[in-house]
Amino acid sequence: MAMKDYQVKRMFESIAFSYDFQNSFLSLRRDSYWRRVMAQCLRLPGKALVLDMATGTGEVAVEICRHHPKTEVIGVDFSPKMLTVGRRKGKFKKFASRIHLSLGDGRRLPLKSNSFEAATIAFGIRNIQERDQALKEFYRVLKPGGQLLIMEFDIPDDPLLGNLYRLYFDYLLPPLGNWLSRTNYAYSYLASSVHDFPNEQGFLQEMGRAGFTSLGVKKLTYGVAKIFRGIKSA
Ligand SMILES: C[S@@+](CC[C@H](N)C(=O)[O-])C[C@H]1O[C@@H](n2cnc3c(N)ncnc32)[C@H](O)[C@@H]1O
């Protein structure tokens, strides 16, 4: 069930109103923990500028500011409604002077080359059909030595856990998520887009082809979420 970029955008526009609640409820609040770990994985030189691509409602941007007090974050997303929901949140307002949200497309970032110490994208790259283009854009805007962290969903490697998780992910989550988001497709799309995403090695190779080195993966919650990391060589 592949979707074109305008369909993905329309979907996020329509589910923005309760996106944070859906995530938290359907992941049993694991999503906050995963974003916290992602922010903690960032290695920043004190004062730094970080790009959070596909920032959505700004949850990752907030976590980065919380863990890195001298950092400023530019959050980019192509859904105006997701950004609006983000700006209205109390926790966002607390860091409003350090988070700058802006409309933009990950395949053509409206940002200068070599300008960020680090870049993040959580649960966003899977939605971009032209992944190679998005990875090249990350590479372009990072400073030499800059760090890229990409978080995505996966199925646990352990066969028993994997099968149990599939029962939830393929059969329970789509109808429940569709009902919560008042759509008949958003969470069916989530499940199919996770299955369509390359496996761990395949995605690391894509990062390597975009120029990233020192590649690695951190598994969270038995591999339900994974953080891929890479460095733009100095
Ligand atoms: C699943 S949400 C993740 C939001 C946020 N990173 C989080 O952790 O909750 C995916 C986001 O990617 C955005 N997105 C998808 N394709 C995009 C693109 N080509 N350019 C910019 N944003 C995009 C969507 O609008 C949506 O807000």
Side-chain angles (χ1 to χ4, degrees):
M1 184 186 177
M3 280 214 264
K4 303 233 180 287
D5 57 302
Y6 72 88
Q7 294 171 309
V8 170
K9 180 172 170 183
R10 199 190 302 150
M11 177 180 77
F12 282 106
E13 287 286 282
S14 67
I15 67 173
F17 71 100
S18 67
Y19 173 82
D20 288 332
F21 171 73
Q22 294 155 32
N23 265 344
S24 170
F25 182 79
L26 294 167
S27 72
L28 307 174
R29 291 186 58 85
R30 288 288 80 191
D31 63 321
S32 315
Y33 160 73
W34 296 332
R35 294 194 193 87
R36 191 161 67 243
V37 174
M38 191 185 204
Q40 287 165 346
C41 286
L42 281 175
R43 297 281 162 262
L44 299 172
K47 206 166 178 285
L49 187 60
V50 178
L51 165 66
D52 181 42
M53 234 299 288
T55 194
T57 61
E59 288 284 309
V60 173
V62 166
E63 278 308 317
I64 294 172
C65 285
R66 205 173 261 151
H67 286 90
H68 302 277
K70 291 185 185 158
T71 294
E72 292 202 21
V73 182
I74 309 277
V76 175
D77 200 286
F78 70 1
S79 162
K81 279 199 186 143
M82 291 289 277
L83 296 180
T84 301
V85 169
R87 283 191 189 100
R88 288 189 184 141
K89 292 193 291 201
K91 62 178 161 186
F92 177 85
K93 287 182 184 154
K94 199 170 154 199
F95 297 107
S97 63
R98 293 167 48 209
I99 304 178
H100 316 281
L101 296 184
S102 143
L103 271 179
D105 191 316
R107 297 162 301 175
R108 290 174 297 276
L109 287 171
L111 300 165
K112 278 202 261 172
S113 303
N114 303 312
S115 46
F116 292 88
E117 271 76 21
T120 54
I121 177 168
F123 313 119
I125 194 93
R126 179 176 36 83
N127 299 297
I128 304 179
Q129 293 285 316
E130 299 91 343
R131 265 197 310 277
D132 52 345
Q133 181 59 31
L135 288 170
K136 279 185 198 154
E137 278 295 84
F138 278 125
Y139 195 86
R140 180 181 68 75
V141 301
L142 279 169
K143 289 182 179 172
Q147 186 187 16
L148 172 64
L149 296 181
I150 298 180
M151 184 147 67
E152 261 314 334
F153 291 116
D154 205 347
I155 307 291
D157 297 330
D158 179 85
L160 180 62
L161 270 179
N163 284 335
L164 283 175
Y165 186 70
R166 265 175 222 273
L167 284 180
Y168 167 69
F169 200 68
D170 292 341
Y171 297 101
L172 191 57
L173 178 95
L176 192 58
N178 289 342
W179 176 71
L180 277 177
S181 63
R182 295 189 216 152
T183 66
N184 57 7
Y185 65 97
Y187 283 79
S188 310
Y189 164 74
L190 167 68
S192 73
S193 63
V194 169
H195 292 310
D196 290 346
F197 195 70
N199 66 20
E200 200 176 293
Q201 283 311 314
F203 187 58
L204 286 172
Q205 281 169 9
E206 289 186 14
M207 290 177 73
R209 279 200 293 277
F212 289 96
T213 57
S214 307
L215 301 170
V217 184
K218 184 178 179 67
K219 293 184 183 149
L220 303 171
T221 317
Y222 306 104
V224 165
K226 287 180 177 170
I227 299 174
F228 296 87
R229 57 175 188 275
I231 299 284
K232 172 172 174 174
S233 24

